Amino acid sequence: AQSVTQLGSHVSVSEGALVLLRCNYSSSVPPYLFWYVQYPNQGLQLLLKYTTGATLVKGINGFEAEFKKSETSFHLTKPSAHMSDAAEYFCAVGGSYIPTFGRGTSLIVHP
Amino acid sequence: NAGVTQTPKFQVLKTGQSMTLQCAQDMNHNSMYWYRQDPGMGLRLIYYSASEGTTDKGEVPNGYNVSRLNKREFSLRLESAAPSQTSVYFCASSEIRTHSYEQYFGPGTRLTVT
């Protein structure tokens, strides 16, 4: 069984500030972990993924996430927010036919 | 490559009407999925097809049927639409055999049932 918890349905930051979106997971097998982004009126697209190996994963648009097994976490960060980062972000755990998605975190970026 | 395409993009139905949502992928993926997305509920899996010729229920299958027409196409049918089926529907595909597991999503169909 697997589950994903995203802490905070909304996160608000100022442009240029650090972005931190939190994700904790549970999985009975070594997890494959993903972050997806959904811009308004679009489908989800992959930001980054962790499978094996290096625990710090770099994705598109300057985002990165660190897999911490001891904390069962896969938090998403970006050093400096841009207005264009405003979107919905979904954490997911995979490794089988059916992935499990978190409920999403809406990132709001203020000028 | 077009990736995952969905038709129609928008649809308004009256209660009791039927319709089929179409999905096609050109990535030669074996697995395909239908999700619905509602505010505050995240993505919920309706049906999936692990490979051509197989379909299985997901979390919220009631009121829906699916057909895996061939490797490329996976359709979702609402036989008698209800207002509770007002939602945004996403089709996705994935290639499990290569242990990629990431999903590729279509642009969505926005359905309103009045």
Side-chain angles (χ1 to χ4, degrees):
Chain A
Q2 51 195 26
S3 66
V4 175
T5 301
Q6 290 184 240
L7 297 175
S9 58
H10 295 83
V11 169
S12 182
V13 300
S14 297
E15 193 173 19
L18 172 72
V19 175
L20 171 60
L21 304 183
R22 299 177 187 273
C23 173
N24 288 89
Y25 71 92
S26 69
S27 177
S28 56
V29 296
Y32 289 68
L33 296 164
F34 306 87
W35 277 100
Y36 291 86
V37 60
Q38 182 182 30
Y39 298 105
N41 299 315
Q42 294 185 26
L44 282 70
Q45 56 183 280
L46 184 69
L47 256 185
L48 50 81
K49 69 176 181 180
Y50 168 80
T51 54
T52 59
T55 56
L56 183 63
V57 181
K58 295 187 186 299
I60 62 172
N61 300 336
F63 283 93
E64 61 183 35
E66 187 171 11
F67 169 58
K68 292 187 176 181
K69 184 178 179 180
S70 61
E71 298 177 9
T72 61
S73 69
F74 192 56
H75 301 332
L76 182 70
T77 60
K78 182 174 180 178
S80 176
H82 293 163
M83 296 295 292
S84 60
D85 294 327
E88 189 90 11
Y89 292 81
F90 292 90
C91 181
V93 57
S96 67
Y97 282 107
I98 305 177
T100 300
F101 287 85
R103 292 200 168 191
T105 297
S106 178
L107 178 63
I108 302 160
V109 183
H110 297 286
Chain B
N1 284 355
V4 179
T5 57
Q6 292 182 236
T7 55
K9 287 187 167 50
F10 301 93
Q11 185 71 50
V12 179
L13 291 178
K14 296 187 180 200
T15 297
Q17 288 184 318
S18 63
M19 78 162 295
T20 299
L21 282 64
Q22 307 286 355
C23 173
Q25 53 92 8
D26 63 1
M27 294 172 284
N28 202 36
H29 287 168
N30 277 292
S31 303
M32 297 185 72
Y33 307 77
W34 276 105
Y35 294 92
R36 60 178 289 173
Q37 183 179 31
D38 303 289
M41 303 294 290
L43 288 171
R44 291 184 291 171
L45 183 64
I46 305 171
Y47 272 93
Y48 70 102
S49 171
S51 60
E52 187 179 357
T54 69
T55 60
D56 284 287
K57 296 178 180 179
E59 181 185 354
V60 289
N62 290 346
Y64 305 95
N65 284 300
V66 290
S67 295
R68 184 74 183 266
L69 305 170
N70 48 54
K71 190 172 186 179
R72 290 187 64 249
E73 299 172 289
F74 188 38
S75 63
L76 178 71
R77 182 160 178 84
L78 287 69
E79 290 290 352
S80 178
S84 60
Q85 294 178 304
T86 293
S87 187
V88 182
Y89 292 85
F90 290 100
C91 178
S93 71
S94 183
E95 186 48 67
I96 304 300
R97 292 178 308 169
T98 58
H99 300 284
S100 295
Y101 297 112
E102 67 256 37
Q103 301 211 318
Y104 295 81
F105 286 81
T109 294
R110 284 151 183 82
L111 175 67
T112 302
V113 183
T114 61

